[in-house]
Amino acid sequence: MSSRKLDQLYRQVIMDHYKNPRNKGELPDSNVTIDMNNPTCGDEIHLHLKIEGDKIVEAKFTGSGCSISMASASMMTESVVGYTEKEALLMSKRFSEMVQGHEHEPVDENGDVEALSGVAKFPARIKCATLSWKAMEKAIYEKESR
């Protein structure tokens, strides 16, 4: 597949997650909730995780922001459910490497997350893409510190 067609496909995946976000909404029985924002551009996320033992069993978010931040939140919540906290943190590390343009292992099995690899070409958008992932990391660390 040509680079141009791949870019177009990735744009379609990002816009699909932005217009039809997965896991958007409140999670009344969450046991970890984190609010984070990106003061540079105004993106904000309210992440709700339900963690049983060390496994993320449900993830939802609310918030507002640009297409990159909201699509990334949608993709992140799809990616981490069913995985342990340690596995989710590894996914976040790989995601961060990817959006910074570094070599990385695949982030998840779903593959949609790879659509955000083009963010590396726009350094100002990296914080938009990583906001929800950083919120997930913070949620896990705060849960562990309790």
Side-chain angles (χ1 to χ4, degrees):
M1 185 177 290
S2 75
S3 175
R4 186 174 160 170
K5 284 186 179 181
L6 189 59
D7 285 347
Q8 186 176 10
L9 174 65
Y10 281 175
R11 273 193 295 278
Q12 289 173 346
V13 170
I14 292 166
M15 289 311 293
D16 181 51
H17 274 273
Y18 175 62
K19 291 179 180 178
N20 307 294
R22 283 53 150 191
N23 304 306
K24 188 157 188 183
E26 300 286 332
L27 185 57
D29 61 344
S30 66
N31 51 2
V32 187
T33 301
I34 293 293
D35 298 324
M36 287 185 73
N37 70 341
N38 179 354
T40 313
C41 64
D43 296 338
E44 61 179 46
I45 185 167
H46 313 285
L47 180 63
H48 312 273
L49 298 177
K50 184 175 181 183
I51 302 174
E52 294 177 355
D54 71 340
K55 187 173 272 192
I56 300 170
V57 295
E58 201 167 355
K60 290 194 178 249
F61 75 98
T62 58
S64 61
C66 68
S67 59
I68 297 293
S69 70
M70 294 295 101
S72 185
S74 173
M75 292 174 192
M76 184 277 296
T77 57
E78 276 197 323
S79 298
V80 300
V81 169
Y83 288 92
T84 65
E85 295 168 337
K86 186 176 179 181
E87 291 166 331
L89 291 171
L90 180 58
M91 284 182 203
S92 186
K93 179 181 182 287
R94 290 175 176 168
F95 181 80
S96 183
E97 290 169 349
M98 179 188 74
V99 296
Q100 292 179 54
H102 302 303
E103 289 293 318
H104 66 284
E105 297 289 323
V107 176
D108 69 340
E109 295 173 7
N110 179 355
D112 279 2
V113 172
E114 295 293 322
L116 290 167
S117 62
V119 168
K121 297 174 191 167
F122 306 97
R125 303 305 296 275
I126 292 172
K127 286 184 179 181
C128 303
T130 58
L131 180 64
S132 59
W133 294 85
K134 297 297 182 193
M136 181 265 299
E137 289 177 14
K138 185 176 178 184
I140 289 172
Y141 293 134
E142 282 195 10
K143 178 196 165 271
E144 289 175 355
S145 69
R146 285 188 221 157

